[in-house]
Amino acid sequence: MPYDPARHGPHRIVGPGFHGKVQALVKQVPAGRVTTYGDVAEALGSRNVARQVGFAMAAIDDDGVPWWRVVAAGGRLAARSVRAQVRALRAEGVVVKARRVQEFASRRFTFGSSRP
DNA sequence: CGGCTGACGACCT
DNA sequence: GAGGTCGCCAGCC
C-alpha cells in the first residue's frame, strides 16, 4: 500500500538546522544502547524523515556524536562503515550478529514522545 | 528557483 | 531471504 497521509499522519516539516537537531538527539543515546533512524525522526516530529536522519549522520563532523548507536529498523545495521559500527558497538557490550543487533528490543533507546 | 542525491521504512514480488 | 518500488525531505550545487 502506497503512502497514505490519513494513516501515516500529518507531515510536519522539521525546519532549519535539521542536522543539528538530529545530532543533539543522538548525543542523548547512552553507551550500550541503540536507537533507530525512525525513532530519531519521530522524536523530531515527523516519522517521514528517517531517511534525512541518515543523511544527517553522513554529514556529521562532530566527533562527539555517537553515530554508531543509530541503526535501521529492526536493529539492522545500515551505516556506510558497518565494519566500524560493529566494532564500536561491541566495544560497548552490544552483541551484533549478521548485521543485526541482538536483543534489539531491550537495547533500544527511545526518546520521550512528548513534543509540542 | 530547479534538479540531484541519499547511513530509511514499509510493502511487494 | 533477496531485490525492487515508492513515498517522505534537507542540503547542496
Side-chain angles (χ1 to χ4, degrees):
Chain A
M1 183 181 286
Y3 176 77
D4 182 359
R7 190 164 62 85
H8 291 88
H11 325 155
R12 292 260 299 126
I13 305 303
V14 178
F18 182 78
H19 285 185
K21 292 183 180 181
V22 170
Q23 295 176 14
L25 280 173
V26 173
K27 284 185 177 179
Q28 293 178 29
V29 182
R33 305 288 299 284
V34 298
T35 190
T36 71
Y37 300 96
D39 285 340
V40 175
E42 192 164 8
L44 285 172
S46 173
R47 63 194 302 286
N48 299 316
V49 295
R51 210 173 175 192
Q52 280 57 245
V53 172
F55 306 152
M57 292 294 98
I60 285 179
D61 55 350
D62 181 354
D63 295 323
V65 183
W67 57 267
W68 58 89
R69 293 176 191 148
V70 184
V71 302
R76 300 190 322 284
L77 299 194
R80 280 187 167 163
S81 324
V82 176
R83 202 47 72 72
Q85 185 168 30
V86 172
R87 186 170 60 244
L89 286 174
R90 285 179 175 164
E92 300 184 338
V94 178
V95 182
V96 181
K97 193 174 184 179
R99 293 165 78 107
R100 281 279 192 135
V101 171
Q102 302 301 293
E103 299 184 8
F104 170 63
S106 54
R107 287 286 188 184
R108 188 179 182 185
F109 173 85
T110 52
F111 302 94
S113 53
S114 59
R115 61 169 182 277

